Every structure is written in structure tokens, then in C-alpha cells.
Amino acid sequence: MEAKAIDGHENASSVILSNKIYEVQKYLSITNHVYASNIILFSKKTWDKLTPVKQKILQDAAYEARDYQRAASREIAGKAVGELRSRGMQVNEVSPPELARMRQTVQPVLDKFAPEYDQGVVRLFRQELERVHSM
């Protein structure tokens, strides 16, 4: 960006802050179009060996960790945006109607590539997106 080879990028506000991208970038639009979650994977073979009580303990711990990670992530992002504003970035929080328009605009791309994936996964993905958008 400093060399003017590109005029924009996509990064989390904390990344923009920690890498001092605000020194070469004047504007930040908050779209919340990406959520990078931390996942917990467990071997089914090992999981099935656990008692139902131990499975519940692990599941409850995973839910607790999820909730903590989400809260911490939101707090860090909020602080980073505040710091970026204080360093002179102009922050644009994209309105819900504009986000809906953006989703509608890219829908043909999603429709084009969806057949290349497992349709059960595509269906679950779309259901989850609808659930989240309705929140």
C-alpha cells in the first residue's frame, strides 16, 4: 500500500494496528464479513471410548472456551478500532442495509461455485449464515 501497488486489503483491526498499517491506510470499513474461529477437533475413535460423563465435561468446556474466545475477540477488536481512530484512521461502520446489498451482489458467485462442494455442507453453511444474519 505504501508503494501504491494496491489500494486496499482485508485484515482484522488488531492486525492493522499491530502492523502499523494505519500509517499507510487512511480508511477502514467494518464489514464483519469474516469470523475466524478456533476449532476443537477430537478423534471419533477416542471420543467414543469416553464415558458420557467425560464427553459432557469436554463438551461443556468447549462451549465455555468458545464463549470466552468470542468475547475476548470482540473486546480486542473494539479496542483496536478505538486505537486506530485515535491514530487518525477514518472508520466506516457499514450499515445493515448496505451489508445486505453486498451479500446480494456476491450471491451469483456463491451460486456458481456451490455445486462444486458437498451439498449437505453447503446447506448447513447457508442455514448457519441465515441464523447468524437474523440475530
Side-chain angles (χ1 to χ4, degrees), residues 12-126:
S13 54
S14 59
V15 172
I16 295 168
L17 179 62
S18 65
N19 288 288
K20 299 183 179 181
I21 296 172
Y22 55 84
E23 292 177 352
V24 295
Q25 176 181 322
K26 185 176 179 179
Y27 302 101
L28 169 64
S29 290
I30 298 177
T31 60
N32 294 318
H33 68 283
V34 173
Y35 183 79
S37 61
N38 297 320
I39 61 171
I40 298 172
L41 297 175
F42 220 96
S43 158
K44 179 165 175 30
K45 180 178 170 182
T46 301
W47 181 261
D48 290 344
K49 290 180 185 177
L50 298 174
T51 67
V53 170
K54 288 182 180 179
Q55 288 176 350
K56 177 149 179 30
I57 290 169
L58 284 170
Q59 188 69 59
D60 290 347
Y63 288 144
E64 183 179 344
R66 175 205 60 200
D67 295 345
Y68 174 80
Q69 185 272 332
R70 287 179 180 170
S73 176
R74 288 180 181 123
E75 180 181 352
I76 290 166
K79 286 180 180 178
V81 168
E83 181 67 20
L84 292 169
R85 278 188 169 116
S86 75
R87 292 181 182 267
M89 283 195 89
Q90 294 181 30
V91 178
N92 169 39
E93 298 198 31
V94 180
S95 70
E98 182 61 13
L99 289 173
R101 189 191 68 76
M102 292 165 72
R103 285 187 201 105
Q104 184 179 18
T105 300
V106 300
Q107 189 62 50
V109 176
L110 298 174
D111 293 341
K112 177 181 177 181
F113 291 102
E116 296 181 21
Y117 296 92
D118 178 285
Q119 291 308 292
V121 172
V122 171
R123 188 172 39 262
L124 287 171
F125 178 75
R126 287 183 171 169

